[in-house]
Amino acid sequence: MKRLKKFVTLFTLAAVCFAIPGLGKITVKAAEPTTYVLNYSDSSSEWRYKEASSWSAEVQDRELYYLQQNIKDGDYIVIDNDVENNALALKVSVRLGNLTFKNTVGVPVVYANGYDSVYFLSGTSGAVNGDVSHAYVYGDAKANFNSNVDTLEMIGLTDDKSNNLHATINGIGTVNHLIAKDNRDQSVFYEAYSFAAGKLAIEDGSLKTEAKYYSTTAPAPAAAAEAAPAATEQPTQTTAPAQATQNSTSSEYDNVPKTGENSAMFWLLGAAVVCMAGGYTIRRKNVQEAE
């Protein structure tokens, strides 16, 4: 009889635990992205990195070999270099959450399995290999996209000229949607859609692609879904992408997403409290039965 009572008690406790929302199915959040900043080291004559969003003397730098070993899908890379250097050709076998060209000398080239976002701040140059979901080219940046781009925003300078678009952009793959914006009030200068592979050409903010290779009309939703590029690794080539809105280079970078915060322990804590309470109840019942 005592065993039957104990079984009923345990069964009831289990039922209560799984009836409480969140305890029956505990989901652990994926690891938050890590941000790596790259800079060329004069002293060691090689590119190095730090696990930080900006190059700081407080953080130890390491060889790129370790970055390539440790980086994971969704991580962020920032290229922040203002000294003469050997050309950077960085290859990572992951899909990056964010690639930012913050400061560049020369034309850094990055290869990845794809990118959620690519930011080119004003004055930077670079080349991106791998499909991009959303790219931002700011000010007078020079960007080469050697794979497909879903949405590409070209954002002007903050001067007082009527036309403040001065970016230079080339696309080797397709581009589904191009948006050219004024950075002062975010008004749209022009939009274009469905660029054929290898036909996107922008010089000093002016679209040079022949009209037959793109459309000025947005595709129907079904067609747009079919045209969205897959995140696949692509071959080589060279030149740069960009960043979203705001006034100075520093304020531009303030708007670039960096690493977030993690809080997946609360459900586990709740489950522990309930189970402790249940254990205490069972123990009391056993003592009473023994008496």
Side-chain angles (χ1 to χ4, degrees):
M1 190 66 180
K2 289 182 179 180
R3 288 184 176 179
L4 178 60
K5 287 182 178 179
K6 184 181 289 188
F7 174 78
V8 171
T9 303
L10 289 170
F11 184 82
T12 304
L13 177 60
V16 170
C17 286
F18 280 91
I20 297 174
L23 293 183
K25 182 180 180 182
I26 298 174
T27 302
V28 179
K29 285 179 63 178
E32 290 292 333
T34 301
T35 300
Y36 300 98
V37 59
L38 276 60
N39 184 282
Y40 186 78
S41 170
D42 273 334
S43 58
S44 59
S45 299
E46 65 178 359
W47 283 87
R48 298 178 73 86
Y49 81 95
K50 295 185 178 187
E51 192 171 316
S53 57
S54 60
W55 197 262
S56 167
E58 299 173 2
V59 182
Q60 180 63 42
D61 61 274
R62 304 187 74 188
E63 297 90 344
L64 292 184
Y65 166 81
Y66 296 104
L67 179 150
Q68 293 167 321
Q69 296 299 308
N70 297 328
I71 198 166
K72 63 184 183 299
D73 285 336
D75 281 350
Y76 300 169
I77 288 179
V78 179
I79 299 173
D80 186 6
N81 178 65
D82 56 5
V83 299
E84 291 295 331
N85 59 82
N86 297 327
L88 173 67
L90 176 68
K91 296 182 179 181
V92 292
S93 56
V94 299
R95 179 180 177 86
L96 293 175
N98 184 327
L99 171 64
T100 300
F101 293 81
K102 185 179 179 184
N103 290 299
T104 63
V105 176
V107 182
V109 183
V110 179
Y111 305 80
N113 293 349
Y115 313 81
D116 293 339
S117 301
V118 174
Y119 298 87
F120 274 83
L121 306 197
S122 186
T124 62
S125 298
V128 175
N129 296 273
D131 290 344
V132 179
S133 294
H134 206 133
Y136 305 85
V137 181
Y138 183 88
D140 57 354
K142 294 178 173 60
N144 253 50
F145 296 96
N146 299 323
S147 304
N148 301 324
V149 180
D150 189 10
T151 302
L152 170 59
E153 294 191 39
M154 175 173 56
I155 302 162
L157 296 168
T158 54
D159 56 27
D160 296 325
K161 298 176 182 177
S162 58
N163 179 6
N164 57 16
L165 298 174
H166 296 287
T168 297
I169 307 171
N170 289 288
I172 303 302
T174 60
V175 176
N176 287 339
H177 187 192
L178 169 67
I179 310 169
K181 288 183 177 179
D182 187 321
N183 193 39
R184 295 161 298 193
D185 59 8
Q186 300 309 297
S187 60
V188 175
F189 285 119
Y190 61 84
E191 291 186 74
Y193 306 86
S194 306
F195 285 82
K199 298 302 181 181
L200 176 68
I202 297 174
E203 296 178 13
D204 194 28
S206 177
L207 182 60
K208 301 298 184 182
T209 305
E210 292 184 57
K212 64 182 179 180
Y213 294 120
Y214 67 92
S215 172
T216 55
T217 305
E226 291 175 7
T232 53
E233 193 172 5
Q234 298 284 338
T236 9
Q237 282 186 20
T238 18
T239 324
Q243 140 93 22
T245 37
Q246 294 309 322
N247 298 339
S248 65
T249 300
S250 59
S251 63
E252 293 168 33
Y253 187 56
D254 290 341
N255 292 331
V256 175
K258 302 173 184 66
T259 50
E261 296 191 73
N262 201 345
S263 64
M265 296 302 295
F266 292 106
W267 290 116
L268 295 176
L269 180 60
V273 171
V274 172
C275 291
M276 287 175 64
Y280 177 73
T281 302
I282 293 170
R283 186 179 176 186
R284 286 200 61 183
K285 279 185 174 291
N286 289 339
V287 170
Q288 290 172 357
E289 289 172 1
E291 292 173 353

